[in-house]
């Protein structure tokens, strides 16, 4: 499907990768991995065509369609949500436009028989292609994807301008999923998703038959969706024929081998240096010394192990809080007429590590901010226990950082007793070195701001930490270090996150928010999923039972009306084609009758050339008429099949 030959590209003078050669097959489902800044997003842009390689070639199979979800959010406007997503069905829109033109042409009175036949044949081909593309269920497919991505039915007619950045990303994702691309490129697709939507997306992607290349730091996500791994390592892109988990084992084994090679290399370097130093000034050994110097230069320019910096995090030991750091009683929160939380009661005990989960918009961040004293509830009481010291990490870190301060000042703002050396050491552990520490906050990327906010968090000796989506901008290694630090943190933790693998070894209790209310699960994230699935099964069974109990004649009439409307929509075009066909048959039969009358008249044969022309015309009309009869039979058969399918539904005892 895609053939990459001798691909090279650099960024700010440094090679991201060079002389890359690899092939991507039609059904490859690939996780693209590598440290931050190694060129993962750049590689996706090269595949999509948004960037051009400096050298080399990316050859794509003719007619291949590629969809690309980038990290930079796109803003949609001037259309309703449903209409915007429907624009992704490009071929269907093209078929509808062509069909309109054909029908307009068929209504013309100036058509001769040949032109009419050609148009009718084209109309049949268009209808056949529409069936292949499942045209009649396209609206329901759009609804299914939008609902899966967390939109409600009431959102379908809202203008896209009304949706925030995270929801704009979901709109773009919906368009990509529906467009039936041959290859889908996804760059951090899970950053703005909740656990419900993430689970749906995993199932949906697994059901697709196309190729995938995914950049994601969500291990649970890529392990469930991808089967192969592309690794950017030492300026190369290497194919590993296995899942990400299998790749990690391979990587550990490779590192052991490389370190052994490094020891051998260092030993060789010392031997060569010792020889050079010993015989540098001996004329009889000059030639050998020069040879060893060249050998040394060659050894020293060989890189065996890529230096992957990781964030080294250690939370300070906090002072001990009371047995119950925070308690909420009858907490409600509204924004204007929008009620988010209603009569929430909970008690958090010292040392608990709690995840807040639920769909987007359910109030997870609102609850976290109430706990963190960032906002006040509309009603209810919040009680803080003795010696409760809170640190809060916000999801939108830009809101909590002064854009005009540099990194050094940003940390001094938290603790002015820190020395410049201590500040530099801390920032260095968060990948900020050299002159980077003097950059202003406003020029940093989203990921860099996240790391600054985490470094600030480490300077406060709090015994109650609240983290709102802390892993969105961290790579695998950084997340692992943060995860270990949190596991060993002796204080109390509340975390809002959809990263299942990150939460798994940390969490001891789960708060689930849905429809303004709170449900508590006394176990880890796997226990939550087990109980949640059991609840969903029971709800599905109860819903089916209620439907059977409450089904009335009014409901039946409504459903019958909806089915008749669908039947009308699906048969309308067949009936139009059938009507055109019947009119054509009528015209041809009339022409055939007239020709038969003329051919039965003896005077016609008084002129041999006239008789021959009439016979030829008669034969042509007969063939055309037979073709129209066949077309009429086919259209009638297909129309009857649709009508019978709806009749069987309308007549079933269950309606």
């Amino acid at each position: 499907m895609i053939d990459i030959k001798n691909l090279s590209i650099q960024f700010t003078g440094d090679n991201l990768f060079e002389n890359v050669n690899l092939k991507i097959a039609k059904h490859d489902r690939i996780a693209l991995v590598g440290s931050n800044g190694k060129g993962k997003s750049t590689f996706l842009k090269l595949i999509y065509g948004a960037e051009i390689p400096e050298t080399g070639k990316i050859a794509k199979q003719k007619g291949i369609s590629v969809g690309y979800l980038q990290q930079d959010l796109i803003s949609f406007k001037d259309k309703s949500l449903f209409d915007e997503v429907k624009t992704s069905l490009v071929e269907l829109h093209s078929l509808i436009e062509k069909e309109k033109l054909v029908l307009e042409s068929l209504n013309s009175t100036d058509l001769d028989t040949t032109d009419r036949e050609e148009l009718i044949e084209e109309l049949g081909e268009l209808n056949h292609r529409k069936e292949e593309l499942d045209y009649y269920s396209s609206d329901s497919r759009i609804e299914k994807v939008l609902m899966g991505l967390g939109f409600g039915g009431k959102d379908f007619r809202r203008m896209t301008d009304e949706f925030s950045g995270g929801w704009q990303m979901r709109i773009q994702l919906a368009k990509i999923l529906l467009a039936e691309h041959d290859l889908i490129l996804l760059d951090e697709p899970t950053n703005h998703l909740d656990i419900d939507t993430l689970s749906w997306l995993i199932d949906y992607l697994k059901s697709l038959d196309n190729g995938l290349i995914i950049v994601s730091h969500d291990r649970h996500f890529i392990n469930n969706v991808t089967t192969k791994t592309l690794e950017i390592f030492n300026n190369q892109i290497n194919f590993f024929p296995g899942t990400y988990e299998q790749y990690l084992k391979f990587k550990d084994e490779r590192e052991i081998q490389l370190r052994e090679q490094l020891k051998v290399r260092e030993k060789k370097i010392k031997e060569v240096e010792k020889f050079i130093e010993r015989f540098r000034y001996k004329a009889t050994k000059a030639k050998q010394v020069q040879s060893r110097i060249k050998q040394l230069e060659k050894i020293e320019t060989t890189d065996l192990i890529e230096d992957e910096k990781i964030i080294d995090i250690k939370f300070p030991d906090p002072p001990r809080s009371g047995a119950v750091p925070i308690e909420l009683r009858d907490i409600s929160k509204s924004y204007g007429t929008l009620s988010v939380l209603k009569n929430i009661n909970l008690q958090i005990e010292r040392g608990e590590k709690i995840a807040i989960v639920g769909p987007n918009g359910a109030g997870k961040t609102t609850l976290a901010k109430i706990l963190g004293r960032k906002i006040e509830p509309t009603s209810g009481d919040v009680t803080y226990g003795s010696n409760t010291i809170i640190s809060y990490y916000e999801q939108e870190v830009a809101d909590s950082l002064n854009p005009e301060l540099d990194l050094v000042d940003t940390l001094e703002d938290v603790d002015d007793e820190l020395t410049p050396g201590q500040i530099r050491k801390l920032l260095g552990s968060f990948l900020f070195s050299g002159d980077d520490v003097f950059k202003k906050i406003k020029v940093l990327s989203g990921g860099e701001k996240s790391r600054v906010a985490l470094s600030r968090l480490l300077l406060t000796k709090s015994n109650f930490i609240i983290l709102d989506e802390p892993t969105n901008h961290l790579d695998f290694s950084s997340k692992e270090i943060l995860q270990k630090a949190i596991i060993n943190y002796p204080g109390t933790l509340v975390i809002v996150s959809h990263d299942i693998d990150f939460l798994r070894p940390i969490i001891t209790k789960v708060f689930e928010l849905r429809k303004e209310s709170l449900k508590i699960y006394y176990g880890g994230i796997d226990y939550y999923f087990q109980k949640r699935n059991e609840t969903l099964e029971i709800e599905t069974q109860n819903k089916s039972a209620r439907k059977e109990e409450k089904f009335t004649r009014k409901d039946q009439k409504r459903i019958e009306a909806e089915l008749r409307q669908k039947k009308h929509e699906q048969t309308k075009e067949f009936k139009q084609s059938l009507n055109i066909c019947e009119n054509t048959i009528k015209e041809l039969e009339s022409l055939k009758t007239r020709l038969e009358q003329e051919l039965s008249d003896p005077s016609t044969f008084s002129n041999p050339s006239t008789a021959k022309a009439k016979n030829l015309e008669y034969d042509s009309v007969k063939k055309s008429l037979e073709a129209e009869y066949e077309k009429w039979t086919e259209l009638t058969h297909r129309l009857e099949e649709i009508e019978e399918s709806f009749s069987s539904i309308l007549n079933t005892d269950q309606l």
Side-chain angles (χ1 to χ4, degrees):
M1 187 163 64
I2 295 179
D3 191 5
I4 299 171
K5 297 180 180 179
N6 301 319
L7 178 70
S8 297
I9 194 166
Q10 62 175 323
F11 183 70
T12 63
D14 296 323
N15 285 323
L16 287 175
F17 26 83
E18 51 187 335
N19 298 324
V20 171
N21 293 276
L22 56 90
K23 294 180 184 292
I24 297 169
K26 186 175 183 181
H27 299 296
D28 280 345
R29 306 172 75 80
I30 300 166
L32 178 61
V33 302
S35 301
N36 282 350
K38 296 300 181 183
K40 299 187 296 293
S41 295
T42 299
F43 182 71
L44 293 187
K45 290 175 182 177
L46 288 166
I47 295 291
Y48 185 65
E51 287 195 14
I52 300 172
E54 292 177 23
T55 60
K57 183 180 180 182
I58 300 176
K60 298 178 186 175
Q61 183 180 330
K62 187 176 180 181
I64 186 176
S65 172
V66 181
Y68 173 41
L69 180 74
Q70 57 189 344
Q71 285 194 49
D72 299 328
L73 295 178
I74 295 174
S75 181
F76 297 100
K77 56 184 179 180
D78 299 331
K79 282 188 176 71
S80 70
L81 169 64
F82 195 91
D83 290 342
E84 179 61 53
V85 173
K86 198 167 187 176
T87 61
S88 63
L89 306 177
V90 178
E91 187 176 357
L92 278 179
H93 280 286
S94 175
L95 289 173
I96 299 303
E97 292 303 315
K98 289 178 181 178
E99 188 178 56
K100 287 179 182 178
L101 294 174
V102 170
L103 290 172
E104 287 174 6
S105 299
L106 282 169
N107 289 328
S108 173
T109 56
D110 300 330
L111 283 177
D112 59 27
T113 303
T114 303
D115 289 340
R116 185 177 294 277
E117 288 175 357
E118 290 177 353
L119 287 170
I120 291 172
E121 185 176 346
E122 185 180 355
L123 186 65
E125 291 173 354
L126 290 172
N127 278 315
H128 179 64
R129 182 57 182 154
K130 282 168 64 179
E131 287 181 351
E132 287 182 336
L133 295 174
D134 206 8
Y135 165 73
Y136 298 105
S137 66
S138 59
D139 281 4
S140 64
R141 280 188 287 131
I142 293 172
E143 291 175 6
K144 174 186 173 183
V145 169
L146 287 176
M147 297 290 280
L149 289 174
F151 294 98
K154 62 184 179 181
D155 294 323
F156 291 174
R157 293 302 159 197
R158 286 176 61 192
M159 299 302 290
T160 52
D161 315 55
E162 301 174 27
F163 294 97
S164 62
W167 291 100
Q168 291 280 348
M169 184 281 289
R170 295 190 192 204
I171 296 172
Q172 176 69 352
L173 181 56
K175 294 180 68 172
I176 291 169
L177 295 178
L178 285 161
E180 297 186 353
H181 295 292
D182 301 291
L183 176 65
I184 294 177
L185 313 175
L186 302 177
D187 196 351
E188 295 293 355
T190 68
N191 275 358
H192 299 277
L193 303 183
D194 52 64
I195 282 182
D196 290 0
T197 308
L198 180 62
S199 298
W200 177 88
L201 181 60
I202 288 171
D203 291 338
Y204 190 89
L205 290 176
K206 287 167 72 173
S207 73
L208 295 181
D209 193 36
N210 50 13
L212 291 171
I213 303 179
I214 300 175
V215 174
S216 175
H217 292 133
D218 190 319
R219 185 176 296 186
H220 174 78
F221 176 67
I222 62 169
N223 277 327
N224 276 278
V225 174
T226 63
T227 56
K228 296 182 179 180
T229 306
L230 270 181
E231 173 204 47
I232 300 179
F233 178 77
N234 272 343
N235 306 122
Q236 284 294 310
I237 302 179
N238 307 311
F239 226 132
F240 179 77
T243 64
Y244 179 71
E245 286 297 332
Q246 293 167 334
Y247 155 77
L248 287 178
K249 293 178 183 177
F250 157 78
K251 185 182 178 185
D252 289 341
E253 292 170 359
R254 180 184 63 191
E255 185 165 334
I256 292 171
Q257 293 174 356
L258 290 178
R259 292 197 181 280
E260 288 301 318
Q261 291 179 39
L262 186 58
K263 288 180 182 177
V264 172
R265 186 184 75 172
E266 289 174 345
K267 183 179 179 182
K268 181 68 175 176
I269 289 171
K270 288 179 181 178
E271 290 174 355
V272 173
E273 287 176 338
K274 186 176 179 181
F275 181 89
I276 293 170
E277 187 62 30
R278 182 179 179 185
F279 298 107
R280 182 184 296 275
Y281 302 108
K282 283 196 175 186
T284 57
K285 297 284 188 179
K287 188 174 181 180
Q288 290 175 294
V289 168
Q290 289 302 315
S291 174
R292 298 298 172 89
I293 289 173
K294 289 179 180 179
Q295 183 183 358
L296 182 63
E297 289 172 352
K298 186 177 181 181
I299 294 173
E300 290 181 335
T301 55
T302 304
D303 290 327
L304 293 177
I305 298 176
E306 189 177 68
D307 182 20
E308 294 187 1
K309 295 179 181 178
I310 57 176
I311 299 174
D312 184 17
I313 294 178
K314 185 179 184 304
F315 288 100
D317 292 331
R320 188 178 177 85
S321 70
V324 180
I326 298 179
E327 184 177 0
L328 304 187
R329 290 190 295 273
D330 297 324
I331 291 294
S332 296
K333 180 63 180 178
S334 300
Y335 297 95
T337 58
L338 177 63
S339 177
V340 179
L341 302 175
K342 190 173 183 180
N343 298 328
I344 302 297
N345 291 278
L346 61 87
Q347 190 178 79
I348 297 175
E349 297 179 6
R350 182 179 58 229
E352 287 187 318
K353 292 184 170 67
I354 300 165
I356 302 179
V357 302
N360 279 6
K364 301 188 296 293
T365 295
T366 297
L367 178 58
K369 287 185 174 180
I370 289 173
L371 292 172
R373 291 175 170 159
K374 294 292 181 180
I375 59 174
E376 294 293 329
T378 305
S379 61
D381 296 315
V382 183
T383 303
Y384 295 93
S386 62
N387 203 31
T388 298
I389 307 169
I390 297 173
S391 285
Y392 184 87
Y393 173 88
E394 295 186 74
Q395 184 177 356
E396 300 297 335
V397 293
D399 295 340
S400 64
L401 300 175
N402 186 337
E404 298 303 324
L405 294 181
D406 62 26
L407 274 63
V408 173
D409 291 338
T410 300
L411 264 62
E412 282 184 343
D413 188 48
V414 182
D415 186 350
D416 57 11
E417 294 183 1
L418 287 172
T419 66
Q422 289 173 319
I423 291 175
R424 278 180 168 273
K425 184 178 180 181
L426 181 57
L427 288 172
S429 69
F430 282 85
L431 313 186
F432 296 109
S433 58
D435 292 338
D436 288 344
V437 300
F438 300 114
K439 287 181 177 179
K440 289 188 180 295
I441 296 297
K442 63 184 179 184
V443 304
L444 300 183
S445 66
E448 289 170 330
K449 290 176 182 176
S450 295
R451 301 203 301 269
V452 173
L454 280 171
S455 69
R456 283 168 55 92
L457 184 69
L458 295 187
L459 298 177
T460 57
K461 288 190 176 182
S462 55
N463 49 35
F464 195 110
I465 293 177
I466 301 170
L467 303 174
D468 191 354
E469 297 291 0
T471 66
N472 275 358
H473 299 285
L474 300 180
D475 62 13
F476 287 117
S477 299
S478 302
K479 284 203 293 185
E480 186 175 355
I481 298 299
L482 177 61
Q483 186 183 62
K484 288 178 180 177
I486 292 174
I487 290 171
N488 296 322
Y489 173 64
T492 309
L493 175 80
V494 172
I495 180 169
V496 178
S497 177
H498 61 267
D499 194 323
I500 296 168
D501 268 14
F502 182 78
L503 294 173
R504 185 167 278 124
I506 298 172
I507 298 306
T508 59
K509 185 185 286 187
V510 177
F511 290 167
E512 181 190 50
L513 286 171
R514 290 181 189 275
K515 298 179 180 178
E516 306 174 65
S517 62
L518 175 79
K519 186 173 183 180
I520 300 175
Y521 293 82
Y522 295 90
I525 197 69
D526 289 323
Y527 175 81
Y528 161 73
F529 276 115
Q530 177 191 337
K531 293 300 180 183
R532 173 69 182 153
N533 290 334
E534 290 174 3
T535 301
L536 287 174
E537 287 178 11
I538 293 170
E539 287 178 355
T540 301
Q541 292 170 2
N542 291 341
K543 190 175 180 181
S544 298
R546 286 196 299 269
K547 278 186 176 179
E548 290 177 5
E549 291 172 4
K550 295 183 178 180
F551 202 80
T552 64
R553 179 60 187 162
K554 183 178 179 181
D555 295 320
Q556 183 174 343
K557 287 182 178 180
R558 174 181 57 78
I559 292 173
E560 287 175 353
E562 290 173 354
L563 286 170
R564 289 191 184 96
Q565 178 62 29
K566 288 183 178 179
K567 175 184 172 184
H568 171 72
E569 291 173 358
Q570 293 191 24
T571 58
K572 179 174 64 177
E573 292 170 7
F574 283 110
K575 287 179 178 178
Q576 287 176 346
S577 299
L578 195 60
N579 185 50
I580 292 167
C581 186
E582 288 173 347
N583 288 334
T584 303
I585 289 172
K586 185 177 180 181
E587 292 174 4
L588 289 171
E589 286 179 338
S590 177
L591 180 58
K592 179 173 174 283
T593 301
R594 180 172 61 79
L595 287 170
E596 287 173 344
Q597 290 173 350
E598 291 177 355
L599 288 169
S600 65
D601 187 348
S603 62
T604 301
F605 295 93
S606 61
N607 186 333
S609 61
T610 301
K612 183 179 180 181
K614 292 291 181 183
N615 272 306
L616 289 172
E617 186 180 2
Y618 181 72
D619 289 341
S620 175
V621 169
K622 277 180 65 179
K623 288 180 181 178
S624 297
L625 193 56
E626 287 170 3
E628 288 300 321
Y629 283 148
E630 289 180 7
K631 196 172 294 183
W632 182 88
T633 302
E634 175 65 19
L635 286 170
T636 303
H637 176 68
R638 290 162 74 183
L639 185 61
E640 286 174 351
E641 284 182 338
I642 295 174
E643 290 179 333
E644 284 175 7
S645 68
F646 276 95
S647 295
S648 63
I649 297 173
L650 287 165
N651 293 331
T652 182
D653 292 335
Q654 293 181 357
L655 285 180

